[in-house]
């Protein structure tokens, strides 16, 4: 009964991918912590946070796919929500340093002491508690997306104009966070983290736990996204994507539907950023760079937008290729990335997963058509046989 309920709410392939991710959350840490380094199945310590970073990128790409693939909102500012979630987690990690910093100030982070700040800014209050920081990881990106979407969608800004103002939003935040007066570390950002939940952030066990938490978060986000897009609300979202004016004419409040999914997507991106920071060890204004948001669009397009699974695959493949390519030819990576996007647009417009789905759908159609034709011919032959036999039976 439970399996039937799950299949009604989620596609079978979505459940399989979520299960694979959960298995990775268990097997990768066990391989790293329990197997000897000489064992061929051992995963090195440096690879665990790298894979965790890929999972964070996959979660970010999944968040973008919700609004772009199913609602037609091409956001070029999702990197802003990712960075805001990262800063919320970074502020918590900075408060955990205490008097172990360079200046041994129990209250102020090192960069504030260096800049002669006399007291902690009011917006840093509460970040010494993990629960408060976790809440801000959701609230800050979600609130920004809600306010931004409230004005943009009610003004009926769509298409390329919406994409441009989302990019302008993230660029404005980039310039703001670069300023030392903002109280977020300026150009250097937040770094030199020590502990998370009382555990050494550099310890192998902590890194393994962070990887597992990221994998579980991705699996839950995938199931949540699947439940949304397969619901009645999700069907209307696709209607907004394909024919917004007609959907509005039918009586749906299109701006409210866009606002809800945009806010949910921003909160998912914030969670991705929060999980990214302790594994990478730094958060700075560079995460707001418009180029980062454009890269997320490329991951989603390569994997296949409007598929949920595609963006996860695309994020892994592109970033794995980036790790290899930048090690060999670092100066040519941006050219390779641009060429990849052009090639995807020309030869794989539906992305990897979308193209595979299209192939199997056509194959199924051909098979169904062949079976229909075969049945028709058999019925025709049976009818002719019956018509031929009827006169003989009458005699």
């Amino acid at each position: 009964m439970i399996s039937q309920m799950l299949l009604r709410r989620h596609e079978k392939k979505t459940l399989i991918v979520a299960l694979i991710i959960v298995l990775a959350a268990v097997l990768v840490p066990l391989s790293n912590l329990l197997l000897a380094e000489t064992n061929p199945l051992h995963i090195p310590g440096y690879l665990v946070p790298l894979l965790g970073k890929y999972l964070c990128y996959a979660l970010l790409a999944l968040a973008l796919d919700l609004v772009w693939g199913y609602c037609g909102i091409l956001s070029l500012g999702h990197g802003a929500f990712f960075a805001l979630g990262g800063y919320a987690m970074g502020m918590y990690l900075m408060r955990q340093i205490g008097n172990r910093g360079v200046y041994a100030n129990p209250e102020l982070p090192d960069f504030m002491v260096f800049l002669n700040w006399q007291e902690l800014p009011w917006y840093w209050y509460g970040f010494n508690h993990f629960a408060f920081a976790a809440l801000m990881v959701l609230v800050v990106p979600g609130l920004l997306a809600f306010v931004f979407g409230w004005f943009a969608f009610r003004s009926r800004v769509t298409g390329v104009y919406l994409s441009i103002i989302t990019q302008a939003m993230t660029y404005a935040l980039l310039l703001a966070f670069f300023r030392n007066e903002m109280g977020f570390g300026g150009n250097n950002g937040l770094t030199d983290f020590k502990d998370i939940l009382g555990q050494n952030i550099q310890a192998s066990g902590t890194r393994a736990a962070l990887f597992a938490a990221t994998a579980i978060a991705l699996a839950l986000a995938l199931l949540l996204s699947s439940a949304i897009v397969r619901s009645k609300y999700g069907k209307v979202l696709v209607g907004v994507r394909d024919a917004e004016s007609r959907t509005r004419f039918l009586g749906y409040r299109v701006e409210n539907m866009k606002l809800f999914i945009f806010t949910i997507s921003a909160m998912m991106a914030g969670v991705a950023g929060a999980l990214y920071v302790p594994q990478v060890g730094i958060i700075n204004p560079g995460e707001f760079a418009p180029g980062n948001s454009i890269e997320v669009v490329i991951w989603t397009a390569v994997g296949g937008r409007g598929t949920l699974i595609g963006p996860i695959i695309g994020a892994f493949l592109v970033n794995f290729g980036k790790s290899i390519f930048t090690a060999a030819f670092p100066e040519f990576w941006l050219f390779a990335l641009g060429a990849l996007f052009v090639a995807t647009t020309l030869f794989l417009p539906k992305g990897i997963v979308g193209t595979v789905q299209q192939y199997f759908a056509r194959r199924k159609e051909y098979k169904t058509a062949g079976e229909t034709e075969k049945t028709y011919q058999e019925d025709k032959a049976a009818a002719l046989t019956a018509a031929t036999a009827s006169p003989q039976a009458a005699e």
Side-chain angles (χ1 to χ4, degrees), residues 17-365:
V17 173
L19 180 60
I20 292 173
I21 296 172
V22 172
L23 286 176
V26 176
L27 297 179
V28 171
L30 290 179
S31 173
N32 173 250
L33 297 174
L34 300 182
L35 296 182
E37 294 183 4
T38 55
N39 192 307
L41 298 178
H42 173 76
I43 296 179
Y46 74 89
L47 198 56
V48 174
L50 181 62
L51 293 175
K53 183 173 75 170
Y54 292 167
L55 289 175
C56 294
Y57 288 154
L59 179 53
L60 176 58
L62 177 62
L64 178 65
D65 192 40
L66 264 184
V67 293
W68 185 31
Y70 291 92
C71 196
I73 302 173
L74 176 55
S75 171
L76 298 180
H78 258 53
F81 306 130
F82 179 84
L84 287 173
Y87 265 97
M89 179 57 66
M91 292 166 72
Y92 162 76
L93 295 174
M94 291 297 291
R95 293 298 307 274
Q96 299 305 299
I97 296 176
N99 57 8
R100 291 173 294 173
V102 175
Y103 297 99
N105 191 305
E107 189 69 17
L108 299 179
D110 283 339
F111 72 88
M112 290 186 183
V113 178
F114 179 78
L115 294 172
N116 294 320
W117 288 64
Q118 300 303 314
E119 60 181 1
L120 197 69
W122 63 267
Y123 45 85
W124 277 74
Y125 294 157
F127 279 96
N128 54 323
H129 302 291
F130 180 81
F132 179 83
L135 180 63
M136 291 300 104
V137 165
L138 297 173
V139 170
V140 175
L143 183 60
L144 175 63
F146 183 84
V147 173
F148 177 88
W150 177 275
F151 291 103
F153 301 142
R154 274 165 173 70
S155 301
R156 298 193 179 181
V157 181
T158 59
V160 66
Y161 303 104
L162 181 62
S163 300
I164 290 172
I165 62 174
T166 56
Q167 192 169 60
M169 173 190 68
T170 188
Y171 188 67
L173 288 170
L174 168 70
L175 297 178
F177 274 73
F178 259 121
R179 299 175 63 88
N180 288 328
E181 305 90 84
M182 286 287 291
F184 296 107
N187 183 44
N188 295 323
L190 308 178
T191 187
D192 195 29
F193 308 132
K194 308 293 185 184
D195 297 333
I196 180 169
L197 291 173
Q199 303 297 318
N200 183 0
I201 203 169
Q202 299 296 333
S204 299
T206 306
R207 290 184 176 273
L210 287 169
F211 173 88
T214 308
I216 293 172
L218 177 59
L220 292 176
L222 178 60
L223 294 177
L224 173 63
S225 302
S226 177
I228 290 174
V229 301
R230 287 176 64 84
S231 66
K232 293 180 180 180
Y233 168 78
K235 306 302 181 186
V236 179
L237 271 184
V238 175
V240 173
R241 179 194 68 187
D242 296 337
E244 181 175 336
S245 298
R246 183 175 298 179
T247 306
R248 182 178 282 109
F249 180 76
L250 291 173
Y252 290 100
R253 296 294 298 272
V254 171
E255 59 274 12
N256 290 346
M257 305 195 75
K258 285 184 172 182
L259 184 60
F260 175 78
I261 199 64
F262 192 67
T263 304
I264 292 295
S265 176
M267 294 168 73
M268 287 173 56
V271 172
L275 292 166
Y276 170 86
V277 169
Q279 297 182 85
V280 175
I282 187 173
I283 178 71
N284 59 39
E287 297 297 336
F288 287 102
N292 291 350
S293 297
I294 295 174
E295 278 197 43
V296 183
V297 173
I298 295 176
W299 306 339
T300 307
V302 170
R305 72 185 182 101
T307 62
L308 294 183
I309 298 172
I312 296 175
I313 296 174
F316 265 88
L317 290 179
V318 175
N319 283 286
F320 179 73
K322 180 179 181 179
S323 298
I324 296 176
F325 201 94
T326 52
F329 310 102
E331 64 275 13
F332 297 112
W333 165 244
L334 290 179
F335 297 101
L337 187 64
L340 175 64
F341 188 58
V342 172
T344 301
T345 304
L346 293 177
F347 304 111
L348 288 175
K350 295 183 179 296
I352 296 172
V353 174
T355 302
V356 172
Q357 288 179 344
Q358 186 180 49
Y359 168 77
F360 282 108
R362 288 180 177 177
R363 185 177 177 182
K364 184 177 181 180
E365 288 177 3

